[in-house]
Amino acid sequence: MQLESISVQEARELIITKQLLNSKNIPKSSEQLLNIIETLGYVQIDTISVVERSHHHILWIRMNKYQRPMLDELMKSKKIFEYWSHAAAYLPIKDFRFSLIRKKRYSDKYKTWGKANKKVISFVLDRIKSEGALQSKDFEGDGNKANGWWNWKPAKDALDFLFHKGDLMIKERIGFQKVYDLTERILPDNADTEFPTESEFYEHLILTSLNSNAIVSEREITYQRKFNPELFRSVLNKLEDNGWIRKISVGKHKIPYFTNNTVLELLNSKIKNNGIHLLSPFDNLVINRKRLKEIFDFDYTIECYVPEPKRVYGYYCLPVLSGNKFAGRLDAKSDRSSDSFIIKNLHFEENFRRSNSFDEKLKSSINKYAKFTGCSNVDGLEKFM
């Protein structure tokens, strides 16, 4: 049976709209911040701050009134929590139970390490139980040479172990440093802590992937995750049989994609994306590089992990999204000491046609983003435009 087909252009419009990057549906109020995170499913955290930390960048690009303390407030009000998606991320508290599977797997995988380091683990837990939330630096100088550990690293490793297995949660960050406390003291009383079955977990992955990405392939849903292929496909088939999802084809791509009727109905509204966005390298839209290449024909690599002689575009390039096409990549640095947002390189894609209107919109986007990163001045843009 031939699958219903949509064009690549239609797929792009749907994806950008569900990713909340359509200029017509960008949230305007701070109350909608939680909705953004719930829609995206996760917001990735990264330590690199050449221009701005990824989580703040991802949220600001979708809500221009976003301010950094808003995220802290969501943590304090226990509406989101920090754990692991495919990487470190902020997650909606409503999805807490689905983090339990990874915690169980982690605990089983590192059981031997836990037994071998039982003393330091107990020491760390006892201090947090009696003193309250602590950072890793609070354990500096606590080493006991008689017990075989005389620097703070074992305690730091124990904190990480207890966090990943679920005994500790991150209460907040101070200067980007994690503050750990007992899970029972952080988790809200109404949090769902029922351990999900593997089938429930796969159903959650499938439906949240569709909600945030509009159309997804089987490979994309399980991106960077361990899974049981046979059971996963049985869940897919069940959801399809029940009418919750449906298969479609996209352009000339041979692999089937999954979506649902609600997403496809968006095409009837004649959606059109005409905004310009400077995206984080860790943005939800671009994080799956293979999908990015297949659907958007954008071959992107973050080159800060590439040896300098092999870099083509720059250390930390921001993908430039214009409408439903990627126009180029911007290599920039926020030098807050000089109040300057420095443009090191701006490369336009070969198949992208610029216009005066595009140039003006891009300049405006760069100026707005520079101010968000804490810089009043933009230096070097004139060399590239």
Side-chain angles (χ1 to χ4, degrees):
M1 183 177 69
Q2 188 173 5
L3 297 178
E4 178 182 351
S5 179
I6 64 173
S7 69
V8 170
Q9 295 299 321
E10 288 174 322
R12 291 179 182 179
E13 299 284 7
L14 290 172
I15 291 167
I16 291 169
T17 297
K18 292 299 287 183
Q19 278 284 301
L20 304 178
L21 291 167
N22 185 326
S23 57
K24 292 182 179 179
N25 74 344
I26 291 177
K28 300 296 192 296
S29 67
S30 59
E31 290 77 16
Q32 291 176 285
L33 182 60
L34 177 60
N35 179 255
I36 294 174
I37 298 173
E38 290 180 342
T39 299
L40 295 177
Y42 73 92
V43 174
Q44 185 168 335
I45 303 168
D46 195 82
T47 58
I48 301 175
S49 59
V50 174
V51 285
E52 180 55 74
R53 296 203 188 276
S54 62
H55 45 288
H56 293 311
H57 187 164
I58 291 166
L59 294 171
W60 177 82
I61 212 73
R62 289 166 172 83
M63 190 179 82
N64 294 154
K65 292 186 177 181
Y66 171 77
Q67 298 293 325
R68 295 164 189 81
M70 293 178 182
L71 192 62
D72 298 331
E73 287 303 315
L74 283 183
M75 282 286 285
K76 289 177 183 177
S77 60
K78 301 183 179 183
K79 293 178 180 177
I80 60 173
F81 70 107
E82 186 174 328
Y83 193 59
W84 209 261
S85 179
H86 71 277
Y90 289 107
L91 301 160
I93 201 69
K94 70 180 183 65
D95 294 339
F96 177 82
R97 67 186 291 246
F98 297 106
S99 71
L100 299 177
I101 285 185
R102 185 184 186 276
K103 290 167 183 172
K104 176 66 166 56
R105 289 175 180 169
Y106 183 93
S107 183
D108 292 344
K109 182 177 181 179
Y110 294 101
K111 185 183 296 184
T112 301
W113 189 93
K115 289 180 178 179
N117 294 273
K118 188 175 180 179
K119 286 186 177 180
V120 65
I121 290 170
S122 295
F123 171 75
V124 167
L125 265 180
D126 288 342
R127 276 202 58 187
I128 292 177
K129 284 177 183 177
S130 61
E131 299 176 39
L134 296 173
Q135 299 175 253
S136 64
K137 70 176 184 178
D138 294 318
F139 292 89
E140 293 179 15
D142 283 334
N144 184 339
K145 194 167 185 177
N147 289 333
W149 51 285
W150 48 88
N151 60 51
W152 69 288
K153 190 177 186 303
K156 183 176 182 293
D157 291 341
L159 285 168
D160 195 57
F161 173 79
L162 290 165
F163 165 71
H164 282 286
K165 74 185 289 283
D167 295 326
L168 298 180
M169 290 181 70
I170 295 172
K171 180 180 180 181
E172 61 182 331
R173 284 181 180 252
I174 299 177
F176 204 61
Q177 298 304 305
K178 301 169 186 174
V179 180
Y180 299 90
D181 204 350
L182 301 177
T183 293
E184 62 202 57
R185 293 203 287 236
I186 293 180
L187 203 61
D189 294 336
N190 62 348
D192 187 348
T193 58
E194 182 180 356
F195 197 92
T197 65
E198 197 167 2
S199 294
E200 286 178 317
F201 179 63
Y202 291 155
E203 182 175 310
H204 167 73
L205 277 184
I206 294 163
L207 296 180
T208 54
S209 293
L210 283 182
N211 187 51
S212 60
N213 294 299
I215 61 166
V216 284
S217 67
E218 179 180 327
R219 180 188 64 221
E220 292 163 358
I221 297 169
T222 57
Y223 176 64
Q224 292 192 1
R225 294 182 186 276
K226 293 181 179 179
F227 71 107
N228 179 326
E230 186 175 336
L231 179 58
F232 180 82
R233 290 189 186 107
S234 73
V235 175
L236 270 177
N237 292 336
K238 179 183 175 182
L239 290 172
E240 189 176 6
D241 290 342
N242 292 339
W244 288 37
I245 65 174
R246 58 190 288 187
K247 280 183 186 176
I248 62 168
S249 63
V250 176
K252 295 181 180 180
H253 293 297
K254 295 181 179 179
I255 61 170
Y257 285 84
F258 293 91
T259 188
N260 58 38
N261 292 332
T262 302
V263 170
L264 293 178
E265 285 170 4
L266 291 172
L267 293 174
N268 296 327
S269 62
K270 297 181 180 180
I271 53 177
K272 185 172 179 60
N273 304 305
N274 54 19
I276 293 179
H277 302 293
L278 308 176
L279 301 180
S280 163
F282 303 100
D283 193 276
N284 300 55
L285 180 66
V286 303
I287 198 63
N288 189 326
R289 314 299 194 212
K290 190 168 185 178
R291 171 182 166 91
L292 189 65
K293 174 63 176 173
E294 290 175 346
I295 300 294
F296 289 91
D297 194 26
F298 187 58
D299 192 2
Y300 176 73
T301 300
I302 179 171
E303 297 185 0
C304 57
Y305 304 121
V306 175
E308 187 171 358
K310 295 184 178 181
R311 290 176 193 151
V312 178
Y313 302 108
Y315 180 80
Y316 193 76
C317 282
L318 310 180
V320 179
L321 178 68
S322 176
N324 63 14
K325 296 180 181 179
F326 280 89
R329 46 203 98 197
L330 174 73
D331 185 28
K333 177 182 178 180
S334 295
D335 186 354
R336 296 173 187 86
S337 62
S338 64
D339 197 24
S340 296
F341 187 80
I342 302 169
I343 309 296
K344 301 168 74 174
N345 193 11
L346 175 56
H347 175 87
F348 295 102
E349 300 299 286
E350 289 182 5
N351 60 352
F352 183 79
R353 294 183 179 179
R354 292 166 57 193
S355 64
N356 290 335
S357 174
F358 166 81
D359 284 354
E360 289 305 312
K361 287 182 179 179
L362 178 58
K363 289 176 184 177
S364 175
S365 294
I366 291 173
N367 283 319
K368 288 176 182 177
Y369 181 62
K371 289 179 180 178
F372 176 70
T373 69
C375 300
S376 300
N377 305 308
V378 175
D379 294 338
L381 183 58
E382 65 281 355
K383 293 187 294 184
F384 304 102
M385 296 186 70

